Amino acid sequence: MGATENSMMYMHAKVVKDIRNTVNRKVNFETANLGRAAAASSEQREAIRRLKADGRFEGLSEELREIANLREEYPEASLKEIGALLSVSLSRSGIHHRLNKIVSIAN
C-alpha cells in the first residue's frame, strides 16, 4: 500500500525542514552579532575621533591609548583579536571594559 514509502518521505521532509530551520536560526544569529559588533566598533572609533579632536586623547592612560590606536587601525577586528595584538595580551572582557571607558570619557 506504500505506507512505508510515504512514512520515509514524511520523515525525510521533516529532517530537511529541521535542517533548514537550524541554518536560518544560525544565519540570523550571526547576522545580528555582526551588526552589533559593527555598531560598537563605529561608536568606539567615533569616541576616539572626538577625544583626538578635543585634545583629550593624550590625557588617556597608555593602556587606553594603545587599545584606541588598535581599534582605529583594525576597525573590523573582534575584541579577542585586539586583545591578542596588545603588547600585553588581555581578555575579551578586559578589552570591552577599556573600550567602554574610552566611550564614556568621550561623552
Side-chain angles (χ1 to χ4, degrees), residues 8-87:
M8 293 300 281
M9 287 174 35
Y10 172 77
M11 288 181 0
H12 174 71
K14 185 173 175 20
V15 168
V16 168
K17 184 177 178 182
D18 286 345
I19 290 171
R20 188 177 302 129
N21 287 340
T22 299
V23 169
N24 284 337
R25 274 192 298 277
K26 287 181 181 181
V27 167
N28 290 341
F29 174 78
E30 287 299 320
T31 302
N33 277 348
L34 289 172
R36 282 191 298 272
S41 175
S42 178
E43 178 187 21
Q44 293 156 0
R45 287 181 291 125
E46 180 57 35
I48 294 164
R49 278 193 278 278
R50 280 195 311 270
L51 290 172
K52 286 183 175 182
D54 296 348
R56 297 184 291 159
F57 185 76
E58 293 305 319
L60 297 176
S61 68
E62 178 60 34
E63 294 86 10
L64 293 180
R65 283 196 314 267
E66 182 181 15
I67 288 175
N69 288 330
L70 286 171
R71 171 48 82 199
E72 282 190 315
E73 188 175 348
Y74 302 100
E76 74 290 342
S78 69
L79 298 180
K80 186 176 181 180
E81 291 167 339
I82 290 174
L85 293 169
L86 288 169
S87 56

